[in-house]
């Protein structure tokens, strides 16, 4: 499904809409865009004080960064700052920028072959690993974490110039406020030493530790016009160990631990397993009353699951484009979790011919979902209005009730009919779509 003809017409309208006034011509376009704040009313991150990022940065707090250590230094603290990312910054690299392999992070006492031999469930049983080899894995993981994790402080705008890329970088917002991340391709935030969890599910699972962006205990965050990809290291290429996929990726954008007032707009999420988790656990705690998140004008292309999966939050999902190809395994897109209240309006869904409509929604212990104005194209059929919630309820018990109990009021402009929204997403979503 491509929309090039109609998109060209939309482009002309958009160019007129964003044309800069003559009085601003003396200010470089990159500086003007970097100081943009979240528009009023643009999703939950516009609530209250809104989200301004580093717009108030003084000249000495405007940074151009080209490596991991420069990035980590520039985003630290709470002083308003604008951080321009140039070129490709690699997290799996030393202070001089030389690439570091998984073997170079590994503790001398660790090897994957030895780990697999020691903790095979047929030998070890279905209990969590312990002992010297597990301790060596933990030390190895700490070695990698010290390089790939970049802690982002408050009052920051991180924005890419041209084809800026963060490869293997784990941006961690923990207790941060007022952060904007725009126009960057985020690639392959891989974990060399994932945890083996033998009691996770019926047969156990490998669980990775690093997201591309993790928003934890943070508020007023705008993630806009980025591209997320596993690049040349996709989940589908990982081996099986203990009969389970060796999962080296976690989320692309995860929002947990009481985070609040987040807008995720005009991003592309591509060919990934666990795309977006909203909510920490099923146990009531900091997430209750928080996790107010808006997702609009994003493209979810080849997401296996979690697009998003929600617990507790009031999450507004509107005008997004979903491409669900014939993948094995495709699990679901909208995960309705414990006490979640998702309001999904005017989304466009292109389903692969072998994907049944009732697979799009999955019940993770939730009870309600509002759905309005969905259009579905199944295989090569013509797109048409359809209810994916009704498709789920027709084949599952108990039903998910069709009223989430709230109506969103923070929206960026008019909500487009789903086919028109798909055209706009096709044209405008992702990195390198800002004129910077």
């Amino acid at each position: 499904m491509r929309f090039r003809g109609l998109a060209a017409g939309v482009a002309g309208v958009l160019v007129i809409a964003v044309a800069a006034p003559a009085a601003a011509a003396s200010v470089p376009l990159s500086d003007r865009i970097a100081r943009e704040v979240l528009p009023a009313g643009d999703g939950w991150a516009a609530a209250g004080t809104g989200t301004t990022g580093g717009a108030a940065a003084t000249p000495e707090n405007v940074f151009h960064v080209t490596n991991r250590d420069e990035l980590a230094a520039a985003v630290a603290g709470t002083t308003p700052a604008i951080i321009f990312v140039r070129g490709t910054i690699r997290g799996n690299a030393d202070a001089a920028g030389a690439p570091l392999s998984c073997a170079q992070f590994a503790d001398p006492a660790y090897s994957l072959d030895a780990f697999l031999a020691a903790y095979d469930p047929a030998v070890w049983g279905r209990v969590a690993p312990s002992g010297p080899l597990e301790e060596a894995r933990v030390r190895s993981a700490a070695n990698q974490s010290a390089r790939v994790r970049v802690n982002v402080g408050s009052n920051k705008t991180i924005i890419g110039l041209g084809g800026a890329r963060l490869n293997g970088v784990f941006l961690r917002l923990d207790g941060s406020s007022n952060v904007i991340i725009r126009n960057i391709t985020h690639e392959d935030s891989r974990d060399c030493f994932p945890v083996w969890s033998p009691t996770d599910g019926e047969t156990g699972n490998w669980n990775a530790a690093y997201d591309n962006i993790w928003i934890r205990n943070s508020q007023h965050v705008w993630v806009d016009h980025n591209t997320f990809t596993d690049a040349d290291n996709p989940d589908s290429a990982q081996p099986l160990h203990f009969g389970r996929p060796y999962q080296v990726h976690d989320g692309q954008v995860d929002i947990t631990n009481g985070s609040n007032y987040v807008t995720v707009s005009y991003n592309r999420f591509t060919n990934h397993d666990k795309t977006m988790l909203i909510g920490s656990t099923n146990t009531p705690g900091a997430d209750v009353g928080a996790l107010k998140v808006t997702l609009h004008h994003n493209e979810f292309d080849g997401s296996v699951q979690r697009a998003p999966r929600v617990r507790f939050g009031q999450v507004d999902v509107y005008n997004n484009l979903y491409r669900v190809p014939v993948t094995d395994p495709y699990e679901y897109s909208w995960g309705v979790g414990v006490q979640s209240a998702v309001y999904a309006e005017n989304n466009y869904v292109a389903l692969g011919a072998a994907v049944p409509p009732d697979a799009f929604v999955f019940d993770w212990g939730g009870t309600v979902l509002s759905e309005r104005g969905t259009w579905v194209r199944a295989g090569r059929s013509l797109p048409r209005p359809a209810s994916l919630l009704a498709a789920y309820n027709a084949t599952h018990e108990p039903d998910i009730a069709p009223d989430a109990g709230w109506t969103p009021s923070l929206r960026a402009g008019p909500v487009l009919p789903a086919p028109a929204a798909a055209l706009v997403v096709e044209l405008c979503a992702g990195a390198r779509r800002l004129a910077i």
Side-chain angles (χ1 to χ4, degrees):
M1 179 184 61
R2 290 290 184 248
F3 310 103
R4 301 302 182 194
L6 272 169
V10 177
V13 174
L14 292 176
V15 167
I16 294 171
V18 301
S26 60
V27 180
L29 182 60
S30 60
D31 290 353
R32 280 186 276 132
I33 293 177
R35 291 187 184 273
E36 287 180 350
V37 304
L38 178 69
D42 192 349
W44 275 117
T49 59
T51 301
T52 60
T58 56
E60 63 269 23
N61 289 304
V62 176
F63 304 97
H64 291 251
V65 300
T66 59
N67 62 52
R68 182 263 175 209
D69 288 354
E70 290 177 351
L71 173 65
V75 301
T78 61
T79 301
I82 294 171
I83 300 93
F84 289 102
V85 177
R86 289 183 174 273
T88 297
I89 293 178
R90 300 186 184 279
N92 292 288
D94 64 19
L100 294 172
S101 67
C102 291
Q104 289 171 287
F105 288 122
D107 184 89
Y110 175 83
S111 78
L112 178 58
D113 288 343
F115 188 94
L116 295 175
Y119 300 115
D120 186 331
V123 176
W124 181 260
R126 293 208 170 271
V127 294
S130 61
L133 264 175
E134 170 63 7
E135 292 165 3
R137 185 202 63 80
V138 171
R139 291 193 298 271
S140 303
N143 293 338
Q144 187 186 20
S145 178
R147 294 306 301 167
V148 302
R149 186 178 68 194
V150 173
N151 296 320
V152 179
S154 299
N155 307 312
K156 302 293 185 286
T157 293
I158 308 170
I159 188 163
L161 290 170
R165 295 174 180 270
L166 296 181
N167 181 283
V169 173
F170 168 32
L171 292 180
R172 186 172 186 261
L173 286 63
D174 189 358
S176 302
S177 179
N178 194 33
V179 176
I180 296 171
I181 303 171
R182 305 183 79 191
N183 203 46
I184 298 170
T185 296
H186 302 257
E187 297 178 331
D188 190 20
S189 185
R190 65 188 181 278
D191 186 346
C192 292
F193 310 100
V195 174
W196 169 241
S197 303
T199 59
D200 180 1
E202 294 182 1
T203 57
N205 277 302
W206 296 93
N207 289 301
Y210 311 134
D211 305 315
N212 294 111
I213 299 174
W214 186 18
I215 302 169
R216 181 184 191 277
N217 187 32
S218 297
Q219 59 182 335
H220 289 287
V221 179
W222 182 27
V223 180
D224 176 70
H225 279 97
N226 299 278
T227 296
F228 297 88
T229 172
D230 295 336
D232 58 357
N233 187 37
D235 293 318
S236 60
Q238 307 309 318
L240 295 178
H241 292 311
F242 303 154
R244 301 297 298 155
Y246 190 64
Q247 182 61 263
V248 299
H249 301 108
D250 197 10
Q252 292 184 315
V253 176
D254 280 4
I255 305 164
T256 68
N257 297 84
S259 292
N260 213 1
Y261 305 125
V262 179
T263 297
V264 181
S265 59
Y266 290 98
N267 301 284
R268 294 192 67 239
F269 299 93
T270 65
N271 298 318
H272 188 80
D273 186 355
K274 302 173 181 178
T275 299
M276 183 182 297
L277 177 67
I278 301 175
S280 310
T281 73
N282 288 347
T283 303
D287 289 341
V288 177
L291 300 174
K292 294 178 174 64
V293 179
T294 299
L295 312 178
H296 73 82
H297 296 93
N298 302 287
E299 179 177 1
F300 296 91
D301 186 358
S303 294
V304 174
Q305 59 177 312
R306 302 186 181 181
R309 176 181 174 179
V310 181
R311 301 178 175 106
F312 298 105
Q314 284 186 322
V315 179
D316 186 12
V317 181
Y318 79 92
N319 276 177
N320 298 286
L321 167 62
Y322 291 84
R323 302 184 194 278
V324 183
V326 182
T327 58
D328 186 18
Y330 167 70
E331 296 194 23
Y332 66 92
S333 295
W334 294 341
V336 182
V338 172
Q339 296 184 32
S340 62
V342 176
Y343 194 104
E345 184 171 10
N346 290 20
N347 296 286
Y348 189 102
V349 178
L351 292 175
V355 180
D358 66 343
F360 194 83
V361 175
F362 191 86
D363 185 356
W364 285 104
T367 59
V368 296
L369 167 67
S370 292
E371 181 196 17
R372 308 281 187 273
T374 305
W375 278 59
V376 175
R377 180 183 181 185
R380 296 186 177 183
S381 66
L382 291 174
R384 64 190 64 194
S387 171
L388 294 166
L389 176 59
Y392 174 88
N393 284 341
T395 57
H396 294 80
E397 293 291 345
D399 282 3
I400 297 172
D403 184 358
W406 71 291
T407 301
S409 59
L410 293 168
R411 294 277 182 77
V415 179
L416 299 173
L423 298 178
V424 173
V425 172
E426 173 87 11
L427 176 69
C428 299
R432 307 192 73 175
R433 300 296 175 94
L434 299 179
I436 186 171

